[in-house]
């Protein structure tokens, strides 16, 4: 979890309603420093270097801590909260409580070494609530900045300097870093015999359907692109047709040519210039007419191809819709199966815990009556051999 952080709550300056004060002596304080002192340690020299370069007093920084407190982009500190399991399987009254405490202690003690750009100033392990958990409060900072102070507060850049570069919306610097920290805790847990049961793993079984859905989506996008290209070609053809038709219509100007009937003959005469214009117009008309027929053929072919592609796209979209429905159905049943398995697992753990307690009670009862089960088994074996 990530939270706003309440330093007074973490250090038990006051008790919330979910805290059992009789258990507070079991808490562990790993680190407790004044945040303003930490700010002076981290940023005073950078603040002096920054102010020395300023020629205007209104650009000088008088108190960097107060500046960050009033900032809309950065917070003065960040807090993470970690616990193992829940109150049913690792609560303070369960057998795993002490093991969880040891794991969390090792995690907290190694946090600063793993994260040198996250300056820890407040860190506590709580054993007086339902489940053991730790609060770690830190100031994220970077050095060598080219903007503003060369050493300044920045969560995004501090995580980037640790090697966590932002990617997709779900793979932000914070999400990548948080997953890495969970893995670090999981490795510590494994050394103590606790395996991390990651919730939501039923999604792994849907990888094939996800792949098919993605591939169909790619095909649809490719066909949409092809249709767009064909539509562009059609637009170009139509523009050419309009140009040709306009030029053919211009041939009507030949009607304005004046002709004269020759004497004693059915022939007509016209000036040479008009004759040449008429001849050129006739030739152009034949050329444009042929182009018109060819372009119309291309236009018909393009329209036919688009109709064919639209039919294919429609079929693919129906397949994608079916895959989405199938995926949703499988997700529902996998989640239901997972919930049932988790419920059965909790029941088995409860029964196992009860059996262990009964066994422990029986062993104590036998010892109170001076009966050693191990010796009794050896005696029975020896008797059987005789």
């Amino acid at each position: 979890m990530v939270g706003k952080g309440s330093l007074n709550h973490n250090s038990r300056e006051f008790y919330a309603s979910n805290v059992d004060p009789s258990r507070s002596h079991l808490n562990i304080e790993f680190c407790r420093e004044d945040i303003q002192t930490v700010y002076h340690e981290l940023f005073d020299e950078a603040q002096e270097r920054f102010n020395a370069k300023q020629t205007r007093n209104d650009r000088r920084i008088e108190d960097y801590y107060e500046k960050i407190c009033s900032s809309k982009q950065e917070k003065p500190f960040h807090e993470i909260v970690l616990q193992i399991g829940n109150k049913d399987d690792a609560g303070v009254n369960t057998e795993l409580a002490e093991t969880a405490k040891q794991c969390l202690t090792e995690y907290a003690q190694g946090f600063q070494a793993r994260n040198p750009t996250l300056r820890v100033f407040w860190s506590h392990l709580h054993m007086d609530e339902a489940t053991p958990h730790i609060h770690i409060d830190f100031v994220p900072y970077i050095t060598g900045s080219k903007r503003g102070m060369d050493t300044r507060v920045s969560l995004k850049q501090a995580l980037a300097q640790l090697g966590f570069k932002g990617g997709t919306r779900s793979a932000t610097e914070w999400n990548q870093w948080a997953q890495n920290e969970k893995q670090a805790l999981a490795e510590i847990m494994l050394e103590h015999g606790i395996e991390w049961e990651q919730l939501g793993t039923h999604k792994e079984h849907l990888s094939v359907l996800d792949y098919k859905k993605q591939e169909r989506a790619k095909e649809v996008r490719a066909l949409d692109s092809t249709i767009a290209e064909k539509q562009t070609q059609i637009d170009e053809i139509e523009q050419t047709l309009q140009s040709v038709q306009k030029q053919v219509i211009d041939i009507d100007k030949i009607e304005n040519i004046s002709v004269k009937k020759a004497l004693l003959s059915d022939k007509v005469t016209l000036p040479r210039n008009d004759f040449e214009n008429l001849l050129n117009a006739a030739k152009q008309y034949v050329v444009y007419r042929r182009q018109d027929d060819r372009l119309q053929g291309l236009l018909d072919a393009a329209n036919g191809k688009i109709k064919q592609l639209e039919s294919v796209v429609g079929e693919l979209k129906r397949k994608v819709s079916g895959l989405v429905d199938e995926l949703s159905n499988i997700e529902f049943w996998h989640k239901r199966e997972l919930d049932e398995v988790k419920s059965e697992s909790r029941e088995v753990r409860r029964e196992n815990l009860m059996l262990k307690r009964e066994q422990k009670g029986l062993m104590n009862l036998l010892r109170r009556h001076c009966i050693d089960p191990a010796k009794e088994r050896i005696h029975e074996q020896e008797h059987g051999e005789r």
Side-chain angles (χ1 to χ4, degrees):
M1 293 174 58
V2 57
K4 294 174 61 177
S6 174
L7 303 183
N8 289 334
H9 167 74
N10 296 347
S11 59
R12 293 301 185 252
E13 296 295 329
F14 70 89
Y15 289 92
S17 59
N18 62 326
V19 174
D20 179 4
S22 67
R23 297 180 54 84
S24 295
H25 66 283
L26 300 173
N27 295 345
I28 300 177
E29 185 175 85
F30 300 112
C31 179
R32 183 176 179 177
E33 297 181 68
D34 177 65
I35 186 172
Q36 295 193 48
T37 301
V38 171
Y39 262 72
H40 286 305
E41 170 198 317
L42 292 175
F43 306 115
D44 271 5
E45 293 181 3
Q47 180 179 321
E48 290 178 5
R49 289 191 293 270
F50 177 81
N51 287 340
K53 297 177 182 178
Q54 305 310 310
T55 57
R56 291 168 44 185
N57 289 334
D58 60 343
R59 290 184 55 83
R60 292 172 56 84
I61 298 174
E62 300 301 330
D63 189 324
Y64 188 60
Y65 175 72
E66 292 299 330
K67 175 180 172 62
I68 295 299
C69 285
S70 59
S71 171
K72 295 181 179 180
Q73 295 182 340
E74 297 290 349
K75 294 168 54 178
F77 71 95
H78 293 261
E79 175 178 286
I80 58 169
V81 185
L82 298 97
Q83 73 177 43
I84 298 171
N86 54 45
K87 63 183 180 61
D88 296 322
D89 51 35
V92 293
N93 295 317
T94 65
E95 292 184 353
L96 274 182
E98 187 60 32
T99 306
K101 175 183 177 181
Q102 294 174 8
C103 294
L104 293 170
T105 298
E106 291 180 27
Y107 171 87
Q109 290 172 341
F111 183 89
Q112 188 67 86
R114 286 192 308 275
N115 303 285
T117 61
L118 309 179
R119 173 62 161 84
V120 178
F121 68 94
W122 211 268
S123 180
H124 296 77
L125 169 69
H126 290 160
M127 296 294 293
D128 55 2
E129 296 179 45
T131 308
H133 61 276
I134 53 173
H135 295 256
I136 299 179
D137 299 272
F138 56 85
V139 177
Y141 72 100
I142 58 169
T143 57
S145 175
K146 303 299 183 183
R147 181 172 61 87
M149 288 169 41
D150 52 43
T151 300
R152 61 184 177 87
V153 171
S154 174
L155 177 63
K156 183 182 178 73
Q157 296 301 322
L159 297 179
Q161 287 191 356
L162 292 176
F164 302 99
K165 305 292 185 180
T168 62
R169 182 177 297 181
S170 60
T172 61
E173 292 89 350
W174 176 270
N175 288 345
Q176 292 178 45
W177 172 77
Q179 185 63 26
N180 188 69
E181 286 301 297
K182 291 178 185 178
Q183 191 60 47
L185 177 57
E187 291 172 3
I188 295 172
M189 289 161 52
L190 199 58
E191 293 176 359
H192 290 269
I194 304 176
E195 186 176 354
W196 179 18
E197 180 190 0
Q198 299 188 43
L199 303 181
T201 51
H202 62 285
K203 291 182 180 177
E204 295 174 1
H205 305 296
L206 306 175
S207 57
V208 174
L209 282 173
D210 281 334
Y211 174 76
K212 289 181 179 179
K213 185 173 70 172
Q214 291 170 3
E215 291 303 304
R216 294 294 83 76
K218 287 180 183 177
E219 292 178 14
V220 170
R221 287 195 297 270
L223 287 170
D224 284 339
S225 177
T226 303
I227 290 175
E229 291 176 3
K230 294 297 181 184
Q231 189 61 53
T232 301
Q233 292 177 11
I234 288 175
D235 293 340
E236 292 175 353
I237 291 171
E238 288 180 342
Q239 289 176 2
T240 305
L241 278 173
Q242 291 174 3
S243 176
V244 170
Q245 289 170 354
K246 183 177 180 180
Q247 293 177 16
V248 170
I249 293 171
D250 288 342
I251 297 176
D252 293 341
K253 294 180 180 180
I254 64 175
E255 293 180 354
N256 296 323
I257 296 176
S258 60
V259 297
K260 296 179 181 179
K261 192 173 182 179
L263 294 173
L264 304 176
S265 173
D266 291 334
K267 295 181 179 180
V268 295
T269 62
L270 70 163
R272 176 173 293 280
N273 187 46
D274 288 344
F275 173 75
E276 289 177 354
N277 287 338
L278 181 62
L279 182 62
N280 290 333
K283 290 180 179 179
Q284 288 178 6
Y285 179 81
V286 173
V287 171
Y288 290 139
R289 195 66 185 173
R290 289 175 179 172
Q291 288 182 350
D292 189 28
D293 294 339
R294 183 179 65 83
L295 290 171
Q296 188 61 49
L298 290 173
L299 183 61
D300 294 341
N303 281 325
K305 187 66 175 178
I306 284 179
K307 289 181 180 179
Q308 180 184 354
L309 289 171
E310 286 176 343
S311 175
V312 174
V313 169
E315 181 62 26
L316 281 172
K317 285 183 176 178
R318 284 191 291 273
K319 288 182 179 179
V320 169
S321 178
L323 283 171
V324 170
D325 292 340
E326 184 180 353
L327 185 63
S328 299
N329 189 40
I330 291 177
E331 283 180 334
F332 171 78
W333 287 109
H334 272 288
K335 186 176 185 304
R336 186 168 178 175
E337 290 175 4
L338 181 65
D339 290 341
E340 291 176 356
V341 170
K342 287 167 63 178
S343 178
E344 292 174 1
S345 176
R346 284 195 295 269
E347 187 62 30
V348 168
R349 285 200 294 267
R350 289 194 191 95
E351 292 178 1
N352 188 37
L353 185 60
M354 291 176 61
L355 288 172
K356 285 183 178 179
R357 289 174 178 170
E358 290 178 3
Q359 182 186 28
K360 187 175 181 180
L362 289 171
M363 294 293 288
N364 291 334
L365 180 63
L366 291 171
R367 290 193 179 97
R368 281 200 299 270
H369 289 81
C370 301
I371 300 174
D372 189 334
K375 291 181 179 180
E376 288 296 324
R377 282 195 295 272
I378 294 172
H379 179 72
E380 289 177 359
Q381 289 176 357
E382 290 177 349
H383 183 72
E385 290 174 356
R386 292 197 195 98

